[in-house]
Amino acid sequence: MKVELQNLTKIFPSRNKKSGEEVIAVNNFTFTIPDGQLVGLLGPSGCGKSTTLYMISGLQQPSGGKIFFGEDDVTDLPAESRGVGLVFQNYALYPHMTVKQNILFPLQNLKGPDKMTKEAMLERAYEAAKLVQIDELMDRKPSELSGGQQQRVAIARALVKMPRVLLLDEPLSNLDARLRLQTREEIRRIQRGTKITTVFVTHDQEEAMSISDMIVVMKLGVVQQVGKPQEVYDNPVNLFVAKFLGTPPINVFEGEVKGGKLYIGQSAVLDTPGVDDRAVTVGIRPEGFILDENGPLTCNISGIEVMGRDVSIVSTNEHSLNPVIRSIINSDANINAAATEVSYSLKPHKVFIFDKETEERLYFEV
Amino acid sequence: MANESVATKTYFWYEFRKKLSAFAKKIKFDQWKGWIYLSPAIVLILIFTVWPIFNTVRMSLLEGYTTMKEVNGAVFNFGIGNFKRVIDYPGFLTCLKNTVLLTVLTVPISTFLALLIAVCLNSIKLFSRALQTIFFLPYVTNSIAIGMVFAAMFKMIIGGQARPDSVGIVNNVLEALGFDYINWMNAGSEYWANIVVMTVYIVWNALPFKILILLGGLQSVNKQYYDAAKVDGTSRARVFGRITVPLLSPMIAYVVITGFIGGFKEYSSIVGVFGEGMGPVGNAYSLDTMVGFIYRAIGKQEGTASAAALILFAIIFVVTMINLYVSNKKTHY
Ligand SMILES: Nc1ncnc2c1ncn2[C@@H]1O[C@H](COP(=O)(O)OP(=O)(O)OP(=O)(O)O)[C@@H](O)[C@H]1O
Ligand SMILES: [Mg+2]
């Protein structure tokens, strides 16, 4: 079932009447989540991700706009009747119930024609528990589980009633790096298996890129860009998105377009036909550098890091807006370890230029 | 001979000093500091709590003990006659019955009502502060004064005169609802009517403290459990029964246990409503309680009073143990 958000807006009134500053947590969010897909909601802290999720779940009432589940308008439907599964940022497992009771709880709430027999409920609960591999732990209390196990119980509890929509609010934030990797694969597997339309909130771009069918990048309540992870990475619409995605992060320089050429400092580094003359901000992905003795962009080497397959050259340049420039070069390349300077030419499709004032992308023909 | 004695004495002091320094080592200096800071409190507790308890036990075990006679130099035999006398006394069973009945009636009712009110208070936003204050007022009001107000509400008396045309506000309400008057607490009133009056009064008087504790508990429950329950499609009744009550169970247990202890010590509320007679006119002491019994024996029969106090202590102890046992099984911490 698809989930459609139309001009969704959430305004929190200010507490302090005098200052009168209201918070626009989510601003005019329009987006359709395709049926059965996993969408990653991505953005820095405080950009309105949780608020969006709570509005979809019905825990918070939007200030404006509409929410559709399939063809049904659910904007005014209370959370109790929406049939969504929600995994909270800190799980919110009922501490006084065992794992089994926690998972059974949503089923026991079903009324009328959906009401289930005890046996059917148990069977469903065990099915859900098996899916997340916690069927061994059914008689424990949440306090007797590890963080990762608690998280899986929370997922099982959200999944057991076969929700129409599954919402995950930074479910991996409390896990260590290894468990994080493992559980995010698990979430992906479960989502593929159940085909439940899922929204996954995170501020970790790598996490979002690796498991999402689509990502939505937000900033200060406003959607910046929507698309397949690779598309957004390859084609950011503004400087914020370009900076937010990618590890190591994109390298940013100040530059200028003059006569169809992009200048960083005095050297013309790239042809940029179709962009008017102006001051610009230049973003270059780490993999966009080519070692080239006669290359136009010269930097001072401050270190070389070998990372197995690749080599990362750390260097500086007076026009760089970051303290250091990181380029990733294939380790086959011949690097003179004693050199103090390195020259690059650039891969045009890894270079993005943005208006210096608006930070919007300026497109040029490659 | 004398030499030997000196030797033993020196040896004794040597041993004593060794033991003392070992003891001082065991209790580190830090702990000594702690003891010094605590000493004023410990001295006060020794004088006003430990010694009276000890003295109560002593008096209860001296047959027919009264302070007056002891001052005059009388000597008492050691024995359990005081306990026998308490149990054989015909009024004692009435006291026990009244105490148990009032406790068993009021603790569940007041706990349940307090829970309900606390949940309601917790869910309203408007005026919640003002309402919390109002609900807390009985706690800071003198129970004798409240008792007199309650008496006025139930009594058919105004200005010391029984007047058939003035029947008390409760009977006015009954009349408005189409019921007959009930003689709640005047001369000739029935026992059950007296108990109803006392139950209403004690419940009302017990509410504020319980509400305060339960409200505090409610406010410390993580809101996210309620959000989770909402998303899980839980009805309000089920949220109350399966989430609120279990999460509040430590506070509920506390309120019930202290309620039982307070209930067994019921006294001033009855004096407040019915006066020192502890019963309606013409039927004095029909609402007597354990503590009432003890108070009246003080000054005449301290031995009996002490024995009764120890019996009351034993009852409270057993009931509290049962309470703790049950709550340990049912409580989630
Ligand atoms: N109840 C509230 N009252 C007022 N402002 C709120 C409230 N809840 C959230 N906000 C504000 O709305 C904005 C968005 O909050 P939200 O919780 O959606 O952020 P988020 O993207 O989930 O951040 P994080 O990654 O830190 O969880 C923030 O500026 C926050 O301060
Ligand atoms: Mg959040």
Side-chain angles (χ1 to χ4, degrees), chain A residues 44-51 53-54 89 169-170 201-203:
Chain A
S45 182
C47 71
K49 307 179 296 285
S50 298
T51 309
L53 220 56
Y54 289 152
Q89 205 155 347
D169 192 354
E170 304 204 27
V201 164
T202 174
H203 56 239

Side-chain angles (χ1 to χ4, degrees), chain B residues 2 7 9 11 36 68 104 106 126 141 151 194 206 212 244 258 273-275 277 282 284 286 301 313:
Chain B
K9 260 187 191 158
Y11 180 71
I36 289 166
M68 199 75 96
V104 167
T106 56
L126 218 60
T141 322
N194 300 162
L212 188 75
T244 305
T258 52
V273 177
F274 282 91
S286 63
Q301 290 284 336
F313 171 74

Side-chain angles (χ1 to χ4, degrees), chain B residues 55-221:
Chain B
N55 205 19
T56 306
V57 175
R58 181 181 76 92
M59 291 190 291
S60 73
L61 289 172
L62 295 175
E63 302 260 6
Y65 175 93
T66 68
T67 317
M68 199 75 96
K69 281 189 195 159
E70 191 190 36
V71 171
N72 291 338
V75 176
F76 305 96
N77 291 328
F78 183 82
I80 56 164
N82 291 328
F83 290 91
K84 268 206 196 109
R85 200 177 321 193
V86 171
I87 290 165
D88 288 342
Y89 181 68
F92 179 73
L93 270 189
T94 318
C95 295
L96 193 61
K97 183 188 71 180
N98 286 334
T99 308
V100 171
L101 185 64
L102 284 176
T103 307
V104 167
L105 275 176
T106 56
V107 171
I109 296 177
S110 63
T111 305
F112 181 75
L113 280 181
L115 191 57
L116 223 60
I117 294 172
V119 169
C120 292
L121 274 179
N122 194 40
S123 66
I124 44 177
K125 311 234 153 33
L126 218 60
F127 303 128
S128 66
R129 287 263 153 216
L131 282 171
Q132 279 173 30
T133 311
I134 291 173
F135 275 99
F136 195 63
L137 273 182
Y139 192 72
V140 291
T141 322
N142 182 298
S143 67
I144 302 280
I146 304 173
M148 287 164 76
V149 174
F150 263 74
M153 282 163 48
F154 283 98
K155 240 179 194 170
M156 302 186 195
I157 285 181
I158 280 181
Q161 289 282 318
R163 278 167 42 185
D165 57 323
S166 137
V167 293
I169 198 168
V170 175
N171 274 338
N172 285 334
V173 170
L174 280 184
E175 186 187 18
L177 294 173
F179 292 101
D180 283 340
Y181 297 155
I182 291 170
N183 184 355
W184 290 110
M185 51 182 296
N186 283 68
S189 58
E190 285 180 55
Y191 179 69
W192 69 264
N194 300 162
I195 289 292
V196 168
V197 173
M198 280 325 299
T199 304
V200 171
Y201 171 76
I202 294 170
V203 165
W204 185 78
N205 205 9
L207 280 180
F209 177 69
K210 295 190 162 123
I211 293 174
L212 188 75
I213 298 287
L214 295 175
L215 198 60
L218 277 174
Q219 282 167 351
S220 66
V221 169

Side-chain angles (χ1 to χ4, degrees), chain B residues 10-25:
Chain B
T10 342
Y11 180 71
F12 174 78
W13 276 113
Y14 173 73
E15 276 293 284
F16 180 76
R17 287 221 300 273
K18 214 168 80 178
K19 270 189 189 146
L20 195 71
S21 69
F23 181 67
K25 230 176 245 168

